Every structure is written in C-alpha cells, then in structure tokens.
C-alpha cells in the first residue's frame, strides 16, 4: 500500500494555509505517476504511524503527540509551505485545482470572480494571500483563503478524451484493473485528509481553549466575562463536540487499508450536533470587531502574542485561529463530495457517504440561512423605527424576513379605494400610507395575519361577492372569520409578482418550521434597541452591497513588474456552497420610503 511506503523527510511535502487550520501535504510525484495527492500523512520521519487524540465518555482527553507530526517535516508549520508544495507541482507540469469555499464578488476585471463550489486552476502561488488562476476562459488574481485545494490533483492527460500510442494497445482488463487501483488510492487520499485535518483541527481548538481562553480568564483586569463571550463565543462547546466526533471517526478508520474505512455513519450520527456551529458563525463578525478594537492597544497585542508563544502554537494570529471553525464547517461538504466521487456504489460506505454529504450540505445551508436572517432583523428593526405611528407588537415578534413590497389599491365593499404601500414579511402583511407632501414618509395603517389567510386569484371583470368591477385583483380571505382584503395592482405583471410572493411566503414559513429556524428573543430585543438608539424615527440609511476596496492594477506574476492586490477582501464566510436562498433584493426600496431622508 502507498501509505505504508517509507518516506524521507525531504520527500514529504507539507502545506498549511496561514488561517485555515487544516494541514495537508503531497505525496512524492513518482509514487503516483498519474495522480498527485495534496494531503499530508502524519507519520514520523522513519515512516511510522502517528498516535491519535481520543477522548473517553467523560470528555477527558489523552493527547496525541503533536511533536510527532512536526518530525515528518517542520516546513508545514511555517507560513509559505503551501506555496512551496503547489509551485513544485506546477513547475513539474501538473495541473493544480482548487474549489471555492465562498463567493468572491469583484468589480475589478483583473480579479477572478467565482461562486462557492467553482473549480479554479491554480497557475501561480508565490504570494501567500493572492494566487493567479484560471476559471473558465479568464485568468486573474484571487484570494487564496477563499479556496480549498483538491486532495487528488489529476493531470491534463487524465482528463483527455482519448489516449495515443501504446496506451491504446493496452489490454482492456489491465486498464480496468489500473482504474480500480487508482480509484482506491484516490479514496485513500481523501479519507486520510479527513482524518489528518480533523486531528490537527482538534489541536487548534485545544490551543485556543488552553492557550488563549484560560490565560484571559486569569487576567480579570483586562477582560470582562462579556468580552470573552463575544470574542470566543461557544468555541469550548465546539471543542468538546469535535473530540467526541474524532473519537468515533478513529473507530471507523481502517489504518491498514484506509480506502475500506466506513466514516459516513459518523457524520450521520453527529449531524444534529454540528448545529452548534450556527451560534459561533453568527457571533464571529462581532468577535472580529471586538478583537480588532482591543488590538489597537499594544498591551493586548503583546498579551495575545505571549499566549501563543507560551502554548507553542504555530505562527497564526488569534483572528486566524478564530476563523478555523467557520472554515471547517464550510469544508465538510466539499470533502464529502470528493470522497463520494471516489467511492464506488458497491462500497459498503457508499450510501452513508451519500447521505452524509446531503446532511452536511443541509447543516451548512441552515447555518447560512440563520446568519442571513440574523443580519436581516437589524434592517427590519430600523425599518419599523422609521414608520410613523406604529401600533401593536414589534414586527420582529413574528417576522424575520422581508419577502416583497410595493403599492396596491385596497378596495372596500362600498367601492372606496385607498392607495397603500404594502410590505410582505413572513407571517404578516403590513400596510402603510405615504405622506401627501413628504412622499418618503410612511404612516402605519395596519397588518394582516398571513397564517390565517387564504390567497384567491380573481379574474378581470365584475366580482359576484363584492359586486365591483375589478382588474388585476386578488383577495386575501380569512379561514376563521369573515375578514377579507381586496387588493388591485396597477399592471398584470405586478399582480403576478404579488401572487408569487404570497406563495413564497407560505413556502418559506413551512421551510423555517421544518428546519427549526428561530431567531433568539434576545437577538430580536437587541436589534430593536439598537434601531431605537440609532435614530428614534430618523432615517439612518440602509447599507447596500459592500464596496470593493481599491486595488492597484494587477498583472500576472510571470510579467516583469509584479503587483498584487493591496489587501485581502473581507471573507464572505457565510456564503456557503449551494445556499438555499439568495438575499432579498427589496431592501433598496426602503431608501425611498424612509422619513427625514437627506
């Protein structure tokens, strides 16, 4: 077996992204002539296996020797080891591919834009923050921290539609045998990556809890309990959970023949436990802001660096370590997708891996959706504060998302018409009236409980129930009372959008119920409190899409004058692969509908 071969320290190439907390390496190129494996094997310098960190049922830990991992090759502990491994492969003529963890949206035509899950060919990795790569027909810079290198790097010859020369004359049976051997080796590579990165991830979590949190708690004069909760969130709970998860992974891992390992059941068994990442991810932006504020003071910078040195941690800043849980939950679906690719349907773990892949995609989707809703409630709270004469419960008591908005004409049974601006949220439809002089000022006029309403599409013509001539109309009728609302749109397409929006509202409410989507009460109260402090009815404006930072002109590294972007863009860590919903496009309407707009 490949993993049993003995490697010298020089033959073992190791990589470690400065902020990802996941360690990988590459096998010797001559071992697999047609496939390169970008993974690391935690072996000692003489080729012996590593020891693992296991926990008992009480949560006590028996530490594996992290020094054993270092003995293989200390280069992986140093920033830049990743570029060395990648550039060696590229210089050898290999094709190195990476998968996007998050969306990278850019207005600069010399930066490479992509979506989560896209495959990018890495052409140059000399700079640790920005790499040069190709996506479809475009070559440009892209942020290295936004991607994950594939474990199995296939050469161009592997993907060619046909082979030439002697390969065409090979026996078909021999080809099938080589293909099976290659697929087993590829599965071995992915399984090994999952196991090894999980072990190192545990090491990073331990360093955070013991190296930083423990020391911070000793210095009560520097940190309050609230500050520590803001900076570190529930990372100690994540550490405890991941130790149990790793213990189960180790039980299912076949050290002698890794390709026979059956680890899919571990993900399925713990899929509900991964929900604790939602709280951490929601808290992460606040943690970054608080940490950034403290880092402006030299005594905090020196304190955190002393913590790192005392714990003998690798050269990564605290904010880099705190990003690792966010990145980890993003990587699970990608790792499982690659494992599924190299798992045959006859494999005993195939069905579990397939189910685990879907489960971890759903976990990532749920975390993404909760994060999006949490950001949405701040905007909703500011919107409510801007409405004049608001009555009744706060909008956040029942709603957390704006689905559609626009003007409709409300008709009464007596035939009177009223122009109203409606805002459709989950669970309720809010009606407002524009000021006759100040058209950007809105007055509260009521709301409709959508949970009790049935949508009725009306044909153009005279309505037999209300005896009114209608056009582009629809009706909301109560299921329990005689309450009814007759609404007319200006155009047929406007009516169609409202009908679809009402159907979407019901569907999203059902999805939220099935996913257990619920915003904590304290978050709702905090959002309202912040909105009230911000303006007491005065428009503060609503943030739109972030503006890309100004960059210098970019050129490929092979040109004479090399210039890379001046700063790494803010990572959209919550734009996970295959998001369930896209952010609402209707918030821009509030810019026109808020009072006292300057």
């Amino acid at each position: 077996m490949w993993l049993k071969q003995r490697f010298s320290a020089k033959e073992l190439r190791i990589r470690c992204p400065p902020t990802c907390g996941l360690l990988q390496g590459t096998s010797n190129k001559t071992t697999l002539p047609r496939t390169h494996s970008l993974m690391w094997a935690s072996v000692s310098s003489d080729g012996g296996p590593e020891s693992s960190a296991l926990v008992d049922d009480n949560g006590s830990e028996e530490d594996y020797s992290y020094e054993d991992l270092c003995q293989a090759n200390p280069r992986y502990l140093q920033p830049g080891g990743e570029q060395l491994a990648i550039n060696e492969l590229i210089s050898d003529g290999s094709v190195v591919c990476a998968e996007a963890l998050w969306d990278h949206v850019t207005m600069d035509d010399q930066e490479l834009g992509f979506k989560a899950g896209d495959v990018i060919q890495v052409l140059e990795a000399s700079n640790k923050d920005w790499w040069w790569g190709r996506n479809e027909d475009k070559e440009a810079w892209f942020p290295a921290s936004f991607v994950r290198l594939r474990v199995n790097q296939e050469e161009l010859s592997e993907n060619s539609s046909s082979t030439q020369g002697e390969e065409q004359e090979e026996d078909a049976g021999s080809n099938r045998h080589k293909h099976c051997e290659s697929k087993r080796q590829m599965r071995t590579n992915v399984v090994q990556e999952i196991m090894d990165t999980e072990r190192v991830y545990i090491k990073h979590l331990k360093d955070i809890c013991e190296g930083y949190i423990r020391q911070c708690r000793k210095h009560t004069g520097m940190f309050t309990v609230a500050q520590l909760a803001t900076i570190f969130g529930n990372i100690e709970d994540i550490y405890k959970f991941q130790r149990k998860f790793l213990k189960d992974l180790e039980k299912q891992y076949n050290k002698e023949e890794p390709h026979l390992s059956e680890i899919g059941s571990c993900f399925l068994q713990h899929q509900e436990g991964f929900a604790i990442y939602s709280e951490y991810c929601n808290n992460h932006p606040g943690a970054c802001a608080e940490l950034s504020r403290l880092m402006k003071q030299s005594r905090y910078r020196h304190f955190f660096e002393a913590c790192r040195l005392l714990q003998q941690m690798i050269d990564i800043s605290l904010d880099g370590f705190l990003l690792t849980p966010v990145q980890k939950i993003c990587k699970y679906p990608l790792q499982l997708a690659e494992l599924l690719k190299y798992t045959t349907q006859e494999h005993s773990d195939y069905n579990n891996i397939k189910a685990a892949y879907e489960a971890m995609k759903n976990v990532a989707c749920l975390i993404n959706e909760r994060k999006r809703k949490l950001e949405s409630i701040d905007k909703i709270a500011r919107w409510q504060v801007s409405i004049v004469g608001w009555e009744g419960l706060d909008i956040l008591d029942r709603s957390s998302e704006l689905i559609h908005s626009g003007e409709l004409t409300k008709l009464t049974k007596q035939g009177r018409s009223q122009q109203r601006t409606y805002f459709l949220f989950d669970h309720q439809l809010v009606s407002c009236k524009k000021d006759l002089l100040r058209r950007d000022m809105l007055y509260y006029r009521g709301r409709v409980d959508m949970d009790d309403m049935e949508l009725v599409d009306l044909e153009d013509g005279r309505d037999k129930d209300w005896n009114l001539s209608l056009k582009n109309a629809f009706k909301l009728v109560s299921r329990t009372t005689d309450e009814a609302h007759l609404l007319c749109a200006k155009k047929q397409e406007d009516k169609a959008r409202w009908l679809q929006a009402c159907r979407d509202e019901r569907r999203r409410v059902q999805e939220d119920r099935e996913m257990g989507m619920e915003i904590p009460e304290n978050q709702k109260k905090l959002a309202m409190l912040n909105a009230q402090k911000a303006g007491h009815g005065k428009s503060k404006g609503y943030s739109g899409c972030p503006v890309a930072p100004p960059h210098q002109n970019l050129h490929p590294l092979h040109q004479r004058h090399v210039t890379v972007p001046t700063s790494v863009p803010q990572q959209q860590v919550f734009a996970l692969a295959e998001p369930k919903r896209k952010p609402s496009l209707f918030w821009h309407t509030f810019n026109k509908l808020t009072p006292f707009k300057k």
Side-chain angles (χ1 to χ4, degrees), residues 390-404:
W390 184 271
E391 297 177 1
L393 298 174
D394 289 335
I395 187 72
L396 291 179
D397 281 6
R398 298 190 60 203
S399 302
S400 60
E401 181 179 13
L402 174 68
I403 297 173
H404 192 58

Side-chain angles (χ1 to χ4, degrees), residues 226-242:
Q227 278 181 316
L228 294 182
T230 299
I231 295 173
F232 297 102
N234 65 332
I235 199 167
E236 290 175 303
D237 295 332
I238 292 176
Y239 178 36
K240 183 177 180 181
F241 166 77
Q242 290 292 154

Side-chain angles (χ1 to χ4, degrees), residues 237-245 270 273-274 276-277:
D237 295 332
I238 292 176
Y239 178 36
K240 183 177 180 181
F241 166 77
Q242 290 292 154
R243 287 191 302 180
K244 294 179 181 178
F245 177 64
H270 293 278
F274 284 106
I276 63 174
Y277 277 84

Side-chain angles (χ1 to χ4, degrees), residues 227-450:
Q227 278 181 316
L228 294 182
T230 299
I231 295 173
F232 297 102
N234 65 332
I235 199 167
E236 290 175 303
D237 295 332
I238 292 176
Y239 178 36
K240 183 177 180 181
F241 166 77
Q242 290 292 154
R243 287 191 302 180
K244 294 179 181 178
F245 177 64
L246 177 58
K247 179 181 179 180
D248 290 340
L249 275 181
E250 297 284 5
K251 291 179 180 178
Q252 298 300 118
Y253 175 55
N254 188 327
K255 292 184 179 180
E256 299 299 323
E257 297 180 289
H259 69 277
L260 297 179
S261 300
E262 300 177 358
I263 63 176
S265 59
C266 297
F267 287 91
L268 296 176
Q269 179 183 347
H270 293 278
Q271 61 177 311
E272 293 183 1
F274 284 106
I276 63 174
Y277 277 84
S278 179
E279 178 183 342
Y280 186 86
C281 293
N282 290 343
N283 180 74
H284 187 257
C288 293
E290 179 64 20
L291 189 60
S292 176
R293 187 183 67 83
L294 294 180
M295 285 298 192
K296 294 178 181 178
Q297 303 178 46
S298 60
R299 67 169 182 155
Y300 286 99
R301 293 196 300 271
H302 296 154
F303 174 80
F304 288 129
E305 178 62 10
C307 290
R308 186 186 69 80
L309 295 174
L310 185 64
Q311 188 70 14
Q312 297 181 347
M313 301 164 69
I314 61 177
D315 189 13
I316 298 176
S317 61
L318 177 55
D319 58 344
F321 278 109
L322 294 179
L323 181 61
T324 56
V326 180
Q327 293 181 314
K328 187 64 177 175
I329 201 65
C330 295
K331 282 184 170 69
Y332 281 130
L334 297 179
Q335 287 178 321
L336 289 170
E338 192 166 6
L339 182 59
L340 182 63
K341 177 181 178 181
Y342 299 114
T343 303
T344 62
Q345 295 188 15
E346 294 76 22
H347 197 289
S348 57
D349 201 28
Y350 178 81
N351 290 332
N352 281 340
I353 290 296
K354 186 176 181 180
Y357 169 60
E358 294 298 330
M360 293 310 295
K361 278 204 306 182
N362 291 337
V363 168
C365 177
L366 179 60
I367 292 174
N368 190 41
E369 187 69 5
R370 282 178 174 164
K371 175 61 182 175
R372 190 181 63 81
K373 279 185 175 287
L374 197 61
E375 293 173 342
S376 178
I377 66 173
D378 291 327
K379 298 178 181 179
I380 293 176
R382 293 198 299 269
W383 170 82
Q384 179 185 318
V385 169
S386 73
I387 303 299
V388 180
W390 184 271
E391 297 177 1
L393 298 174
D394 289 335
I395 187 72
L396 291 179
D397 281 6
R398 298 190 60 203
S399 302
S400 60
E401 181 179 13
L402 174 68
I403 297 173
H404 192 58
S405 65
E407 293 189 357
L408 293 170
T409 300
K410 180 181 179 180
L411 296 177
T412 66
K413 289 188 176 182
Q414 293 75 28
R416 290 181 298 181
S417 63
Q418 299 171 333
Q419 287 294 118
R420 295 287 183 263
T421 300
Y422 286 89
F423 298 87
L424 178 61
F425 297 88
D426 51 317
H427 299 288
Q428 51 190 329
L429 177 68
V430 178
S431 170
C432 296
K433 178 184 178 182
K434 287 184 179 180
D435 187 277
L436 293 177
L437 299 178
R438 294 284 306 276
R439 300 297 290 175
D440 57 355
M441 181 178 290
L442 294 173
Y443 295 88
Y444 178 80
R445 284 296 178 263
R447 70 182 94 185
V448 177
D449 182 1
M450 294 300 292

